[in-house]
């Protein structure tokens, strides 16, 4: 009774204070990781603040925050283009201004590798944190979640998906540092930025605007005017994925586009997921009329042809403030949330109803637990797993749909980079030397969809040990998702 | 008969903790596609004395679980009252109801389902205390540890998850949770039926010990009479939403009054091989609680059903066959007919509902001793299936058959009921007092003009 008991009563804070070393070691790790990228973090925070400020009528603090964001760029960070630069020029004998005089391709590659290594170190840090908690601070020597984690650890396909998804998330997150050049200089304002290059004829280094250089490095199908993947253009600029028809760097374009695509995909899935879960819990708990009302609402939404609604909404709202918000992304998100929640709700309604039948719900009612708490504590943990599976399975479809809309000329307003537009612009050149313009983004979309599907499979198998890799519900949802994707693209 | 002497008890309401009066709990009312409501509990009255264990027995689907759930207000009563220590709890709502809930708790049937697997045992047992803001959180944890010990677990199980426990241990956790708020009254919904036989006795002993220690009052729901026998002081037998018989346990087992209790008891294998008791097999299945019989709830299956004067002298075998015929017609009415089946019928095509002549053939021509209704070897040489039947019986059956042929099965059932029905079919029996200990039984046979059920069984059961 005595010691062990009072020990076990301690809250987590107390437990850490009693045995601080593992926790401190873990936190120190985080500090080191943050320190090397401090400038970037600060920049991100200010960026976020100014974006939020921009949502309000008189833009409070936007100017201040953007100024702060700019000044934070001065702080040296490990993985920035200023520390490992790849823009330089060849002066006849050697590369000038690149990192250690390396060829730009290698300088760029080094930076990319470092960035990914950095991201994976963060991942490792999280894992160590989980282990530390489990080993030093948790009372229960076993929880059901341990089994889930263990199953996930031996699920190769799911891990493959996880790594793929992570690669794309890092790509989106570190887009400014990853590209061989920046979206600002290369894509948005090419005529207010300059690039130096070595003119062999006159044997001198000349300065031109990026725009001019882009004009000279366009990929237009014939072998004379084409900058393919992993090559240099006439201005000594390196293009890992080649250039677009406009001569803009495709890797930069795609990295920046990943931000938009993933953001639309993830935010709309989170939104739809929240609505779906809310309704699933309410309908499963109250049943009857509540259920009927939601069934009718969701049926009417599901009866709408997705593509048509998207086109209609894009056309109706084009030119209004809604369509301009975040280059049209906000409107797309709103539409996707509206269209997707019934699918998700359908998917989790069954599990929610099943959980609502469990006797522990009755037990909770019998001692007077509040309905809200019952739903949150006794139902939600069981539904959330299914939700994760279905959202990750549907996410690929949304990304395809966004790309498909851009392909049709709807959706994200140019010149904001978006993958679908790259595909559509490269379409006339598929059979020519410039095949890379359509193919590479196409492959990326395929990979990201595979990644999310594999991750969804992994989560499903980890959560539910009984389900084989091809259970009925998952098959159905894949079919759903394929249909959604097909409808969008 | 039942003159067992019980000393100082005057009436059921004597020192009752829970008093149920004309309680009805119906399901599925007011839905958009509402059919008849399911009358899960249909006009039930009884009392539970402070500190006693009342057993509630019946086949599955008889409404006993619904009744238990209504008593702890997990189900809303449709009518009637449940008075707990003088307050009618069916009237409570909001905070009053929440506060009252401390007094009445429930132990659930399936220990696999009654504990939330994502919570530790400690959290599970603690939740009721948290909900009712019981003392400080430190004291709550302390109390949970004590409770775990009380139910025979160890305090270090606090941080374990239900997955790590066996069924019996999980049921102990469920019991600890039910006791957390120190209730006076606990509904035990088949608390051991999902457990291994070896564990059942331990849990039952635990429940008895807890009752002694905390002065608990139990409603013990079971479908197994043998379990009830040794834990319950009094027993209520339920059938189709009605309490058929309620009274002192020993007495009820030794000398059952109601025909339904008779048949339930006869289904228990007796340890005594020389016992005179024969098995009474019930024919058919209980009727749907959506559409219970008009008269006595047991009338469709009762082996002791009262016969009308006019047919008092036909032999038992023929009487049985008539009852089978009526049951078949009722069954046909109940079975859902799909649209295609109705269309086939209209087009004069074969349906799975065989025609009336075949039925008559099967019911009345199968040799005695084989199960009527299953025989296909029925003699076909005589054209008339009712050949050997006295005309007083065959004539009304012919009339009914005629109605069936013209598609009016409702009329056919009516004809049969008018001819062969008795007060059992038409009138709801009263709760007759059948012993000095206030045991009551729901049966017309307790009226003085009829034989008592036990006398009836004495007379008939042994002839088979
Ligand atoms: S009233 Fe009739 S049908 Fe009901 S139990 Fe008594 S004898 Fe049987």
């Amino acid at each position: 009774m005595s010691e062990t008991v009072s020990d076990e009563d301690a809250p987590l804070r107390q437990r850490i204070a009693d045995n601080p070393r593992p926790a401190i070691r873990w936190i120190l790790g985080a500090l080191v990781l943050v320190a090397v990228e401090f400038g970037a973090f600060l920049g991100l925070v200010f960026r976020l603040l100014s974006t939020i400020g921009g949502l309000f009528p008189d833009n409070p603090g936007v100017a201040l925050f953007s100024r702060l964001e700019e000044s934070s760029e001065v702080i040296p960070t490990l993985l920035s283009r200023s520390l490992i630069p790849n823009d330089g020029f060849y002066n006849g004998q050697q590369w000038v201004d690149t990192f250690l005089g390396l060829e730009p391709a290698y300088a760029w590659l080094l930076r990319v590798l470092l960035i990914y290594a950095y991201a994976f170190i963060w991942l490792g840090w999280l894992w160590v944190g989980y282990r530390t908690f489990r080993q030093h601070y948790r009372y229960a020597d076993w929880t059901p979640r341990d089994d889930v984690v263990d199953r996930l650890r031996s699920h190769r396909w799911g891990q493959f998906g996880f790594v793929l998804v992570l690669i794309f998330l890092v790509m989106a997150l570190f887009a400014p540092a990853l590209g061989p050049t920046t979206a600002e200089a290369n894509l948005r304002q090419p005529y207010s930025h300059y690039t130096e290059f070595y003119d062999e004829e006159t044997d001198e280094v000349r300065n031109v605007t990026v725009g001019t250089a882009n004009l000279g490095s366009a990929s237009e199908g014939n072998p004379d005017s084409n900058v393919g993947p992993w090559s240099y253009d006439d201005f000594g600029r390196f293009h890992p994925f080649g250039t677009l028809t406009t001569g803009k760097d495709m890797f930069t374009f795609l990295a920046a586009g990943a931000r938009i695509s993933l953001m639309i995909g993830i935010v709309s899935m989170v939104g739809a997921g929240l609505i779906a879960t809310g309704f699933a819990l309410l309908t499963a708990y109250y049943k009857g009329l509540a259920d009927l009302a939601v069934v009718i609402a969701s049926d009417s939404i599901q009866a709408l042809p997705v593509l048509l609604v998207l086109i209609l909404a894009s056309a109706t709202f084009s030119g209004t403030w809604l369509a301009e918000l975040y280059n049209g992304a906000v409107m797309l998100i709103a539409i996707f949330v509206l269209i997707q929640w019934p699918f998700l709700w359908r998917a989790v309604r069954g599990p929610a109803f099943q959980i609502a039948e469990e006797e522990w719900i009755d037990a909770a009612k019998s001692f007077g637990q509040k309905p809200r708490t019952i739903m949150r504590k006794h139902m939600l943990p069981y539904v959330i797993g299914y939700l994760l599976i279905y959202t990750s399975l549907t996410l690929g479809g949304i990304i395809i749909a966004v790309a498909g809309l851009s392909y049709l000329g709807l959706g994200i307003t140019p010149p904001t980079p978006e993958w679908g537009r790259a595909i559509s612009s490269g379409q006339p050149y598929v059979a020519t030397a410039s095949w890379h313009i359509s193919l590479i983004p196409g492959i990326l979309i395929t990979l990201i969809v595979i990644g999310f599907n594999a991750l969804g499979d992994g989560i499903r198998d980890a959560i539910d040990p009984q389900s084989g890799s091809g259970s009925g519900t998952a098959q159905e949802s894949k079919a759903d998702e394929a249909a959604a994707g097909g409808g969008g693209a | 008969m039942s003159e067992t002497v019980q000393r100082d008890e005057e009436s059921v309401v004597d020192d009752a903790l829970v008093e149920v009066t004309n309680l009805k709990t119906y399901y599925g009312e007011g839905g958009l596609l509402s059919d008849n409501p399911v009358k899960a509990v249909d006009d039930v009255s009884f009392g539970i004395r402070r500190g006693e264990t009342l057993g509630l027995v019946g086949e599955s689907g008889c409404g006993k679980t619904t009744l238990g759930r209504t008593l702890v207000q997990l189900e809303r009563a449709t009518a009637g009252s449940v008075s707990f220590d003088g307050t009618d709890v069916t009237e409570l709502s909001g905070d009053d109801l929440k506060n009252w809930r401390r007094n009445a708790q429930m132990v659930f049937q399936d220990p696999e389902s009654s504990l939330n697997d994502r919570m530790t045992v400690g959290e599970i047992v603690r939740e009721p205390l948290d909900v009712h803001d019981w003392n400080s959180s430190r004291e709550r944890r302390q109390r949970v540890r004590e409770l775990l010990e009380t139910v025979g677990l160890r305090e270090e199980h606090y941080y374990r998850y239900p997955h790590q426990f066996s069924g019996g241990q999980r049921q102990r956790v469920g019991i600890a949770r039910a006791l957390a708020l120190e209730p006076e009254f606990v509904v035990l919904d088949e608390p051991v039926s999902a457990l291994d036989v070896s564990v059942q006795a331990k849990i039952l002993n635990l429940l008895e010990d807890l009752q002694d220690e905390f002065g608990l009052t139990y409603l013990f729901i079971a479908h197994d009479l043998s379990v009830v026998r040794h834990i319950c002081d009094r027993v209520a037998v339920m059938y189709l939403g009605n309490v058929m018989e309620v009274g002192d346990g020993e007495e009820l087992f030794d000398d059952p009054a109601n025909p339904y209790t008779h048949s339930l008891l006869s289904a228990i294998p007796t340890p005594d091989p020389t016992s005179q008791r024969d098995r009474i097999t019930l024919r058919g299945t209980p009727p749907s609680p959506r559409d219970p019989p008009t008269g006595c709830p047991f009338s469709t299956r009762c082996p002791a059903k009262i016969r009308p004067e006019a047919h008092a002298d036909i032999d038992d075998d023929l009487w049985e066959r008539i009852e089978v015929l009526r049951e078949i017609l009722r069954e046909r009415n109940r079975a859902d007919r799909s649209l295609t089946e109705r269309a086939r019928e209209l087009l004069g095509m074969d349906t799975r509902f065989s025609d009336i002549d075949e039925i008559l053939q099967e019911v009345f021509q199968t040799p005695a001793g084989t199960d009527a209704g299953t025989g296909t070897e029925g003699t076909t040489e005589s054209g008339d299936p009712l050949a050997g039947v006295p005309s007083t019986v065959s004539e009304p059956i012919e009339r009914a058959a005629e109605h069936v042929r013209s598609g009016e099965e409702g009329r056919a059932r009516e004809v049969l009921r008018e001819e062969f029905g008795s007060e059992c079919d038409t009138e709801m029996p009263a709760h007759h007092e059948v012993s000095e200990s206030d045991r009551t039984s729901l049966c017309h046979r307790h009226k003085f003009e009829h034989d008592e059920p036990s006398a009836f069984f004495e007379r008939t059961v042994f002839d088979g």
Side-chain angles (χ1 to χ4, degrees), chain B residues 263-280:
Chain B
S263 44
L264 270 192
L265 282 175
S266 83
I268 307 180
T270 36
D272 176 11
T274 61
S275 160
Q276 294 274 310
R277 203 183 259 158
D278 257 12
R279 268 185 81 100
I280 306 167

Side-chain angles (χ1 to χ4, degrees), chain B residues 115-117 119-121 124 160-166 170:
Chain B
L115 308 178
N116 183 346
D117 289 325
M119 290 162 74
T120 62
V121 164
I124 291 171
R160 297 275 174 79
Y161 281 84
H163 274 305
Q164 295 162 295
F165 292 95
S166 68
R170 290 175 70 120

